[in-house]
């Protein structure tokens, strides 16, 4: 079972989660495997830098930090895999 902090970093208001309760106590919370979240903080991309494989850390609206491609900017919506803690792509509009 993932630890509390592993799940908490993906939680945001309105997210539908599965909760397991035993003896009136929450024993497990499962979040969706794929979530669309906003990038709240990241370094600006370097203009003209189109090199493949350039990555940087980005803090998401939930506080989770993932590695994203260099072209991702603050305010963009990205899709992440919550099981692996990885960026999987830009969110479709």
């Amino acid at each position: 079972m993932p630890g509390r902090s592993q799940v908490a970093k993906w939680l945001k208001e309105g997210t539908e989660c599965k909760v397991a309760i035993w003896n009136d106590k929450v024993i497990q919370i499962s979040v969706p495997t794929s979530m669309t979240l906003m990038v709240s903080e990241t370094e600006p991309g370097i203009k003209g830098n189109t090199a493949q494989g350039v990555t940087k850390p980005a803090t998401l609206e939930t506080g989770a930090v993932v590695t994203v491609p260099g072209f991702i900017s603050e305010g963009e919506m990205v899709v992440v895999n919550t099981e692996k803690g990885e960026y999987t792509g830009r969110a479709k509009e």
Side-chain angles (χ1 to χ4, degrees):
M1 176 172 90
R4 180 178 294 179
S5 64
Q6 291 177 329
V7 172
K9 67 183 177 183
W10 304 114
L11 293 176
K12 74 175 193 173
E13 188 173 336
T15 301
E16 289 192 27
C17 302
K18 292 183 181 179
V19 179
I21 298 173
W22 185 71
N23 285 342
D24 295 325
K25 293 185 181 177
V26 174
I27 60 169
Q28 184 176 11
I29 299 173
S30 300
V31 295
T33 303
S34 180
M35 292 184 69
T36 300
L37 299 166
M38 183 182 68
V39 174
S40 60
E41 188 177 322
T42 192
E43 299 171 8
I46 298 171
K47 198 169 195 167
N49 187 353
T50 58
Q52 294 288 336
V54 174
T55 61
K56 60 185 179 180
T59 303
L60 306 176
E61 63 185 294
T62 60
V65 177
V66 296
T67 300
V68 298
F71 57 81
I72 298 293
S73 303
E74 288 183 10
E76 283 194 65
M77 300 298 285
V78 295
V79 179
V80 294
N81 178 310
T82 60
E83 289 180 344
K84 296 179 180 180
E86 295 177 349
Y87 164 91
T88 59
R90 279 183 164 158
K92 292 184 170 74
E93 301 279 330

